[in-house]
Amino acid sequence: MFVSPFRRTGTLILSGLLAVALVIAGAYLWVTHDHDRGTDPRAEAEAPVSGSLRVMPAGDSMTQGANGDRTWRYHLWNHLEPIVEGVDFVGPYTDPATTDMIVPVPTEEDDVPATEGDGGTEPASTDGGDAEALAELAEHTWPGAGGEPGTVEYRDPDFDQDHNSVWGRTLRDAAASIEEEVRVHEPDVLCVLIGVNDLLWPVEMEEMEDRLRRYVEGARKGNPDVRIVLSEALPIAYADNDPGFALRLYAYNMLVREVADDMSTDRSPVISLDIADREDWDVEADTYDGTHPNAHGEIKIAAAFADVLAEAYGVGEPYTRPLPEPS
């Protein structure tokens, strides 16, 4: 992932208290329904979750994870599985990423950016400096099990590995495919962490809002009753070196809250989630390269999603506090 300067444009309008109230009200209307999608979600308001619960973790590298990661999906699964009957993670993918999928994260403002064309993101070549960066990553900070970044394995495979996340995926790309992915895999709940890759180019906030709205609309076309937990983007170390990127990140997260409030309905609630604020996110302590979560960060992300699922939709219980130390 690489960064270009950005010119901030557009005006952000914070949603009012009425929209927040609608989101909270919608939280009590959770009900797990059959795959015919014919159940009125208000008919069993506040009923306990029963039967099958299909959860789709969706996003980019922070959700896919690299080989040797446990991923936050592992921790969320092992939290939910003992207490939520019939929980099932779903999605088109199962594997973590390997080195052939990785583009090093930029650290300086003048790093050469990748290009963003009509067909989606195009990662920079791994020749020259990028190859050297990959070698350093593999030697010093790669989380690969046993120091073997060429392997394709999780540190602990004891979880439902299905997911819908791709290293380097942008919100723009995800918005174009989410309708079919939801239709095919039939999630009841989407747990989404995405957006930071879009911000690595000079994108206007009006365009980011449009991408967010198209993502939610697409998911609903796939399943009109889908519940969505839409996370704000996590801070990354690059923001300390590029004020323009830091501003884009801040503006985007305001948009996440605004769009979630505006688009949430009783039938298909959308809940925004601020992981960084909830879990006191520390880029240095919670990532292994300034961007991707390490063992501590994985637990924090899982805990934040678990808490909002319990609070908003009555799914499971809040995560154990204080958070456990990773093993």
Side-chain angles (χ1 to χ4, degrees):
M1 302 188 306
F2 288 88
V3 178
S4 295
F6 173 79
R7 296 184 296 274
R8 174 74 176 92
T9 61
T11 302
L12 300 174
I13 303 174
L14 296 176
S15 299
L17 293 177
L18 177 59
V20 176
L22 289 173
V23 173
I24 296 173
Y28 291 98
L29 301 178
W30 167 263
V31 58
T32 302
H33 46 276
D34 295 331
H35 293 307
D36 62 6
R37 310 297 181 191
T39 303
D40 182 348
R42 289 168 291 188
E44 298 179 38
E46 301 186 24
V49 174
S50 61
S52 174
L53 176 69
R54 299 170 66 84
V55 178
M56 178 181 281
D60 51 33
S61 56
M62 294 188 190
T63 299
Q64 182 183 17
N67 66 286
D69 284 335
R70 283 191 173 91
T71 76
W72 64 263
R73 297 180 284 112
Y74 165 90
H75 297 287
L76 182 61
W77 167 261
N78 282 286
H79 169 76
L80 292 176
E81 194 274 335
I83 58 177
V84 179
E85 180 182 359
V87 65
D88 183 15
F89 279 13
V90 299
Y93 310 111
T94 58
D95 291 337
T98 53
T99 51
D100 61 341
M101 302 177 67
I102 308 303
V103 174
V105 178
T107 56
E108 300 297 333
E109 187 173 0
D110 58 354
D111 279 345
V112 179
T115 60
E116 185 180 43
D118 294 338
T121 59
E122 179 183 344
S125 168
T126 55
D127 294 335
D130 288 343
E132 293 176 5
L134 280 174
E136 182 178 353
L137 183 66
E139 181 179 356
H140 298 294
T141 58
W142 184 272
E148 296 292 340
T151 61
V152 186
E153 59 187 25
Y154 293 101
R155 186 176 300 275
D156 189 336
D158 186 21
F159 72 110
D160 187 337
Q161 298 169 11
D162 295 328
H163 65 90
N164 183 21
S165 49
V166 179
W167 201 284
R169 175 175 272 184
T170 61
L171 177 60
R172 182 187 65 177
D173 294 337
S177 62
I178 191 62
E179 177 182 347
E180 182 65 13
E181 290 157 350
V182 168
R183 180 176 289 114
V184 169
H185 298 281
E186 300 183 304
D188 301 301
V189 184
L190 273 172
C191 293
V192 185
L193 175 57
I194 199 168
V196 70
N197 289 315
D198 301 74
L199 305 176
L200 303 177
W201 289 274
V203 58
E204 305 223 0
M205 286 300 106
E206 289 86 350
E207 174 60 25
M208 289 303 292
E209 179 178 356
D210 180 66
R211 295 176 187 184
L212 280 167
R213 291 182 180 277
R214 284 191 287 113
Y215 186 91
V216 174
E217 290 166 356
R220 284 175 172 164
K221 289 179 181 177
N223 171 17
D225 299 313
V226 71
R227 268 67 174 169
I228 302 173
V229 180
L230 188 60
S231 175
E232 298 178 20
L234 284 166
I236 64 175
Y238 193 87
D240 293 335
N241 297 324
D242 184 348
F245 173 77
L247 179 59
R248 293 197 295 278
L249 188 69
Y250 174 80
Y252 172 72
N253 286 340
M254 290 182 67
L255 276 177
V256 170
R257 297 192 292 272
E258 177 185 342
V259 169
D261 286 348
D262 184 58
M263 298 193 72
S264 188
T265 66
D266 288 350
R267 183 176 184 181
S268 176
V270 184
I271 306 296
S272 64
L273 170 61
D274 185 350
I275 298 172
D277 182 65
R278 276 178 173 258
E279 305 301 334
D280 193 22
W281 188 263
D282 184 321
V283 173
E284 183 175 355
D286 296 326
T287 73
Y288 63 82
D289 62 354
T291 298
H292 300 99
N294 60 18
H296 288 96
E298 290 171 353
I299 292 175
K300 284 187 174 184
I301 296 172
F305 274 110
D307 286 358
V308 78
L309 287 174
E311 295 164 4
Y313 299 146
V315 174
E317 301 170 353
Y319 213 83
T320 302
R321 308 289 171 154
L323 296 180
E325 286 296 318
S327 58

